[in-house]
Amino acid sequence: MKLLRHGPKGREKPGLVDARGTMRDLSSHLDDITNATLSPAELGRLRALDTEHLPIVPAGTRLGAPYRGTGKFICVGLNYSDHAAESNQPVPQEPVLFAKWNSCIQGPDDPIVMPRDSTKTDWEIELGIVISTRARYVDPADARRHIAGFCVINDVSEREYQLERCGQWDKGKGCDTFGPIGPWLVTADEVPDPQDLRLWLDVNGKRRQDGSTRNMVFGVDFLVSYISRFTTLEPGDLIATGTPPGVGLGQKPPVYLKAGDVVTLGIPGLGEQRQVVHAWDPALLD
């Protein structure tokens, strides 16, 4: 099942993609897709619906983040060995964890607005894990039971803020518009092997990233288990699992986003995103 939210920012309605690839409105069955919707029982109820007669969402309708109510947005750094190498960092012995502020979350095709005076805004395609049920000190073998599904994330990053302004990585990761998610939340039953997914990202039509989750240093099940040792994972918590090589920081010389650039990215089966980059403009944030 592919869940989505459609409509103007702040007024999104629930929806899904049916077996024929048509977007359908779910407003007659629930008010919104939230962290509460991600329970196994609620997902089962939605899965059993007859979608054939649900209203069709018109093509071109804006999509928001596929669910509301992310409690924690947890990220894993340097989780592809070849990305660690291009970043001049050693391959971690344990997962590197940091956070993105939830205020960065937006729809998959909403504009990226660079922070004021930013010169090193970068791109990072990542596989996202969405938590369905509380997880605390879970065994890797049981991790999948706590996963509602998966999604595409662009972990947009400001490298100067992240690496040159002292302190944690977080300050370069959570700027407004730096968390495009979606287009869909694809339930776990439709992703039989999350360690066999291709990730790609283009900037202005030029392929910059082309990787596979097979090359993760730490896989999906281990990450859920590991993170649950340090914080209780709750329904709706989101984990960004790291990016393959090809980020702007790793180009020789480095290449960063500028106003007017178009970023497209996707994971087969999980959908695609498209963002236009803008210089700082607070009017684009509301």
Side-chain angles (χ1 to χ4, degrees), residues 1 3 14-16 18-19 24-30 37 42-54:
M1 186 166 53
L3 298 175
L16 56 71
D18 69 15
R24 302 277 183 171
D25 181 73
L26 279 172
S27 297
S28 60
H29 293 276
L30 72 166
T37 313
E42 185 65 6
L43 290 178
R45 183 181 76 84
L46 295 177
R47 196 174 285 113
L49 293 176
D50 178 4
T51 62
E52 183 176 353
H53 301 294
L54 291 175

Side-chain angles (χ1 to χ4, degrees), residues 79-81 127 129 194-195 199 212-220 223 241-242:
N79 197 32
Y80 290 72
S81 57
L127 172 68
I129 304 169
Q195 301 306 151
L199 307 88
S212 171
T213 57
R214 290 191 301 270
N215 297 326
M216 284 183 178
V217 179
F218 306 103
V220 164
L223 288 174
T241 57

